[in-house]
Amino acid sequence: MSTKNKILDAADVLFANKGFNGTSLREITSQANVNLAAVNYHFGSKKELIKAVMSRYMDELSPRLESALSLICQAELKPTLHEVFSAFIGPLLHLNEFKENGTSTFLQLLGRGYTDSQGFLRWFLTTQYPDVFTNFTKAVNIAYPELSAEEIFWRLHFTMGTIVFTMSSSEALIDIAQNDFDNKLDIAGVIERVIPYVAAGVGAPITKNEPLSLV
């Protein structure tokens, strides 16, 4: 394995488990068994390393996801939000073929971009892979045209929180399903469980925001 890939693999696991802010370059170099100069040589900075880690997944995910969402947008019949979110299943599960536990790891990393306040990462993803976000927003608009841009932002933000929490505890959820309900699930089963929930949340009726009464 090349030095560059050793660094990426080590960073991949540490970033997912400990977060971007909670992982130091020295921890990464120790895990990868390389010196600090190697990180600077191949990536230049921690931010560039974070981008490179995410790009490995996005380069695999984005073409498949763009294609799936494009089909949704071009369909003759108006799609449901359940169909829009279901378009993610195949591309996400492909990441398990790309890398062991790739689906869970990627979703954890994506969530870290929000919980660790990595604004540069969100900017990087939206500018480097704009068609994914454009097609997704378009598909949501087609399925639920009454939603304003602001309402879509909030609902997708809440959706991300649900997915990140679910994926970060997916192993525990799989164990609970087996032990408490005698239901043997894998990561695909967990994703299929969460999709109706987030689709229903995004598709909730629009209500007028009024101040809460303290009485």
Side-chain angles (χ1 to χ4, degrees):
M1 184 184 297
S2 70
T3 298
K4 184 175 182 179
N5 282 332
K6 286 169 67 176
I7 295 169
L8 285 170
D9 284 349
D12 187 310
V13 174
L14 288 168
F15 285 153
N17 292 335
K18 301 184 65 177
F20 299 121
N21 295 335
T23 303
S24 69
L25 288 180
R26 292 196 179 277
E27 287 178 293
I28 294 170
T29 55
S30 176
Q31 179 84 7
N33 196 25
V34 301
N35 58 46
L36 190 58
V39 176
N40 293 326
Y41 173 76
H42 287 288
F43 303 101
S45 68
K46 185 177 178 180
K47 282 186 177 182
E48 293 303 315
L49 175 57
I50 292 172
K51 291 178 183 178
V53 167
M54 293 302 296
S55 289
R56 286 207 300 180
Y57 289 100
M58 287 300 297
D59 289 346
E60 289 291 321
L61 176 72
S62 61
R64 292 171 172 80
L65 187 51
E66 286 174 24
S67 177
L69 290 171
S70 180
L71 289 175
I72 292 286
C73 293
Q74 295 171 12
E76 291 185 11
L77 297 177
K78 178 181 175 182
T80 64
L81 285 168
H82 188 281
E83 289 171 333
V84 172
F85 283 99
S86 293
F88 283 77
I89 296 177
L92 282 173
L93 293 180
H94 168 74
L95 295 179
N96 279 337
E97 300 174 21
F98 166 66
K99 199 172 187 300
E100 186 177 359
N101 296 322
T103 302
S104 294
T105 302
F106 168 72
L107 290 171
Q108 283 182 267
L109 290 169
L110 190 62
R112 294 292 189 182
Y114 286 82
T115 58
D116 291 4
S117 300
Q118 299 293 325
F120 81 91
L121 180 56
R122 296 194 292 276
W123 176 86
F124 171 73
L125 293 175
T126 55
T127 55
Q128 291 297 310
Y129 306 95
D131 289 344
V132 169
F133 297 92
T134 299
N135 287 346
F136 178 51
T137 304
K138 182 178 179 181
V140 172
N141 275 324
I142 293 173
Y144 198 168
E146 294 81 8
L147 288 180
S148 66
E150 181 183 1
E151 193 65 28
I152 288 177
F153 163 78
W154 284 111
R155 295 187 183 205
L156 294 185
H157 178 79
F158 300 144
T159 296
M160 177 61 70
T162 300
I163 291 173
V164 169
F165 177 79
T166 300
M167 289 302 106
S168 65
S169 56
S170 59
E171 290 185 5
L173 291 172
I174 289 171
D175 287 341
I176 291 170
Q178 175 71 58
N179 296 329
D180 292 7
F181 306 108
D182 196 26
N183 186 4
K184 190 173 183 180
L185 287 179
D186 56 12
I187 193 64
V190 174
I191 292 174
E192 288 169 357
R193 288 268 180 172
V194 79
I195 280 178
Y197 182 86
V198 295
V202 174
I206 300 170
T207 57
K208 183 179 179 181
N209 293 324
E210 296 180 355
L212 293 176
S213 174
L214 299 179
V215 179

